[in-house]
Amino acid sequence: MQKNEIAGTFCVSDFLRAAEIFLDETGKYMRKRKTSYVRAFWHRMMIRQELSPALSGEEKQKKKGLSGALKKFYGVGDCGFTLMSNIESYYFSFFLTNLAQFSLPMVTFITTVSSTVDALLSWIYGAILNSIKPMKWGRYRSWLVAIPWLVPFLYAFQFVKIGDGMLSAVIIIIAAIASHVAWNFAYVANVSMISVAGSTPEERSQLSSTRAAWANLSKVIFSYVGPGLAAFMAGIIGEVNQYGAAAFVLGCIMAVLYYAHFRMFD
């Protein structure tokens, strides 16, 4: 009986000692984990503080909210874009058949190749904008001033016949593809700025509505300006190249209005 009591006392004392050691080690571990969490928190705070001065113009615009100019005039660039692209929509086939006097198979070849390549490239613009290093004025905003100035020169050659036969067709195809690539970068960047500048759903809805209103207004404007501008250019440089000149003028207007967007997002 005495032996059992001694054994029981020994087992209880060992258990209590083991429990004490376990609690002590657990406390040390928890204090260590707590310290690591605090260090990680302060590390993140320091990184955020270091990066805050380097915010791009697009992020600053998002923090400031919408300016009065954006609320009223965002979309004038889209107005210019639609005015410019309507020359192709309404007069490209007429130019190829009646003015450049290509055969019907050649007209089909030109329009098919240019449209197919344009469709195949349509998915790359956003991927390129999001993958390359941002330029001086931000990932998207920079493209509103970097590219549109090339469009009038490339776009005009889409409506100019140089030489005869296949050479002229190749020049027109290259000009059509190159001008579409140039203006699509600006177009995608312009639309992407809605999510950058609008910090709330209401602000993004405001920008989208204003943009749509200006785009619809351009259709009304073109019904008066487009034919008259082409006729005016025909009296200056001749009937064959009238749409090339009109495309150049409206391309310049588009570039100026996209620059207006660039300034609005400053």
Side-chain angles (χ1 to χ4, degrees):
M1 189 70 177
Q2 186 177 2
K3 291 182 179 180
N4 293 336
E5 291 177 355
I6 294 173
T9 304
F10 178 77
C11 292
V12 170
S13 63
D14 285 348
F15 174 78
L16 293 175
R17 178 58 181 168
E20 182 181 357
I21 294 174
F22 172 77
L23 293 175
D24 184 59
E25 293 297 326
T26 303
K28 291 180 181 179
Y29 174 77
M30 293 302 295
R31 287 193 295 272
K32 182 178 180 182
R33 294 288 294 175
K34 183 177 179 181
T35 303
S36 65
Y37 287 143
V38 171
R39 289 177 179 175
F41 172 77
W42 282 110
H43 180 66
R44 288 194 296 268
M45 292 297 294
M46 292 299 294
I47 292 177
R48 184 176 299 178
Q49 186 176 2
E50 291 174 0
L51 291 179
S52 59
L55 289 173
S56 66
E58 295 169 358
E59 291 171 320
K60 291 178 181 178
Q61 175 64 43
K62 191 170 183 177
K63 289 180 177 295
K64 289 191 300 183
L66 299 181
S67 64
L70 280 174
K71 292 179 180 179
K72 296 177 182 178
F73 298 107
Y74 175 71
V76 293
D78 297 276
C79 179
F81 178 88
T82 305
L83 286 174
M84 174 200 66
S85 60
N86 277 345
I87 293 289
E88 178 181 338
S89 300
Y90 291 109
Y91 299 120
F92 188 43
S93 296
F94 177 80
F95 163 75
L96 294 175
T97 54
N98 292 53
L99 300 181
Q101 296 183 347
F102 287 111
S103 63
L104 185 58
M106 183 60 73
V107 172
T108 303
F109 174 76
I110 293 172
T111 55
T112 301
V113 171
S114 58
S115 299
T116 301
V117 174
D118 185 38
L120 292 174
L121 296 177
S122 61
W123 64 274
I124 71 169
Y125 303 109
I128 292 176
L129 291 180
N130 290 323
S131 61
I132 66 174
K133 182 180 179 181
M135 291 187 283
K136 179 179 178 180
W137 298 288
R139 181 174 298 278
Y140 303 122
R141 181 172 172 252
S142 300
W143 292 88
L144 298 177
V145 70
I147 294 296
W149 304 104
L150 299 175
V151 174
F153 303 96
L154 298 172
Y155 191 39
F157 278 98
Q158 188 176 336
F159 297 90
V160 175
K161 185 178 181 181
I162 301 174
D164 294 314
M166 184 57 69
L167 175 62
S168 180
V170 169
I171 293 174
I172 292 173
I173 291 172
I174 292 175
I177 295 172
S179 62
H180 286 210
V181 169
W183 80 41
N184 278 329
F185 273 114
Y187 181 87
V188 172
N190 179 58
V191 176
S192 299
M193 286 300 297
I194 292 177
S195 61
V196 174
S199 57
T200 64
E202 291 76 15
E203 290 180 350
R204 291 190 287 270
S205 177
Q206 168 76 53
L207 291 174
S208 298
S209 299
T210 308
R211 175 175 174 266
W214 280 101
N216 289 328
L217 178 62
S218 68
K219 300 175 183 178
V220 178
I221 297 174
F222 185 81
S223 64
Y224 293 98
V225 173
L229 179 62
F232 176 76
M233 292 300 175
I236 297 177
I237 63 174
E239 186 179 10
V240 175
N241 296 320
Q242 60 177 318
Y243 296 115
F248 179 83
V249 171
L250 294 179
C252 290
I253 292 175
M254 182 274 296
V256 171
L257 294 178
Y258 266 156
Y259 180 73
H261 280 192
F262 172 81
R263 297 296 299 173
M264 290 178 198
F265 288 114
D266 190 7

